[in-house]
Amino acid sequence: MDKTKLLKIEDDSDLLDVTGLQYKEFQTSRNQIKFYTLKILQTIPIDCKETALLTQQVTELLLNAAEHGNHWNETLLIKVWYGFTATIFRLIVQDQGTGFRDIERWNQWNLKRDECIRTRNFREMENYIGYRPMMVAQAKNGGSGGISLFGAVEYWDGGIVFSSSGNCIGVKKEFAAVY
């Protein structure tokens, strides 16, 4: 099994560099997140084989910005920078919230979770289904307890990085070249 993938905090990361990327601003709106995703992905190369997964992951990042960052406040914006090449998709999402402050704690949680998977310790794994510090608050709203980050670290194979403020995330996906 590969090394556990972790979230990074790095303001000067290439993943947060907006040079050459397209830019859009979206109003925080429960009813528009999927539409915003489609606006971003309308420039996807026609031969991309991962459209469904990419759509799901982009939607999740926009949802997180709207829900956890902007708290569904429709007066706040979600800023998005994105770009495609034949083999790479980059996305930066910034909300107007106070930022994700549990990055290091989440990384430790994920390391323990991954160890349970590697050692096939499924009894202990029950304690790592969802990210506990978030689950208490999420359970009240019917949320999933932060499990989308587990999928995100696997999907975004070019990395995930947060700004030090925690309210801006940069991701990168690398696709196999199609000839």
Side-chain angles (χ1 to χ4, degrees), residues 93-157:
V93 178
Q94 182 177 21
D95 59 56
Q96 293 183 272
T98 58
F100 182 34
R101 298 287 176 224
D102 271 347
I103 293 171
E104 292 304 325
R105 196 154 102 186
W106 186 90
N107 279 335
Q108 292 305 311
W109 183 269
N110 194 35
L111 285 167
K112 291 175 185 175
R113 176 185 172 275
D114 205 46
E115 178 64 21
C116 290
I117 293 169
R118 273 199 302 278
T119 61
R120 303 184 58 79
N121 185 349
F122 299 114
R123 183 168 305 277
E124 180 68 14
M125 179 68 186
E126 292 175 6
N127 296 316
Y128 297 96
I129 298 297
Y131 180 53
R132 291 275 181 231
M134 294 176 72
M135 285 183 73
V136 174
Q138 291 292 323
K140 294 177 184 174
N141 298 323
S144 62
I147 62 173
S148 62
L149 274 175
F150 297 131
V153 295
E154 295 300 322
Y155 183 76
W156 299 106
D157 55 8

Side-chain angles (χ1 to χ4, degrees), residues 32-138:
Q32 295 295 311
I33 297 295
K34 289 182 182 176
F35 174 72
Y36 299 159
T37 299
L38 293 176
K39 292 287 282 181
I40 293 166
L41 296 181
Q42 69 186 356
T43 59
I44 192 170
I46 195 72
D47 54 0
C48 179
K49 305 293 186 207
E50 295 185 31
T51 305
L53 286 173
L54 181 59
T55 299
Q56 185 270 334
Q57 288 294 317
V58 171
T59 300
E60 191 62 41
L61 289 172
L62 295 175
L63 278 170
N64 283 344
E67 179 181 1
H68 302 295
N70 292 350
H71 302 285
W72 297 115
N73 181 337
E74 293 191 2
T75 66
L76 299 179
L77 297 174
I78 300 168
K79 298 178 180 181
V80 180
W81 295 263
Y82 61 96
F84 290 98
T85 69
T87 59
I88 294 172
F89 174 63
R90 287 196 45 230
L91 177 69
I92 301 168
V93 178
Q94 182 177 21
D95 59 56
Q96 293 183 272
T98 58
F100 182 34
R101 298 287 176 224
D102 271 347
I103 293 171
E104 292 304 325
R105 196 154 102 186
W106 186 90
N107 279 335
Q108 292 305 311
W109 183 269
N110 194 35
L111 285 167
K112 291 175 185 175
R113 176 185 172 275
D114 205 46
E115 178 64 21
C116 290
I117 293 169
R118 273 199 302 278
T119 61
R120 303 184 58 79
N121 185 349
F122 299 114
R123 183 168 305 277
E124 180 68 14
M125 179 68 186
E126 292 175 6
N127 296 316
Y128 297 96
I129 298 297
Y131 180 53
R132 291 275 181 231
M134 294 176 72
M135 285 183 73
V136 174
Q138 291 292 323

Side-chain angles (χ1 to χ4, degrees), residues 23-39:
Y23 176 73
K24 292 207 181 293
E25 288 183 355
F26 300 118
Q27 179 184 7
T28 300
S29 171
R30 290 180 190 272
N31 300 326
Q32 295 295 311
I33 297 295
K34 289 182 182 176
F35 174 72
Y36 299 159
T37 299
L38 293 176
K39 292 287 282 181

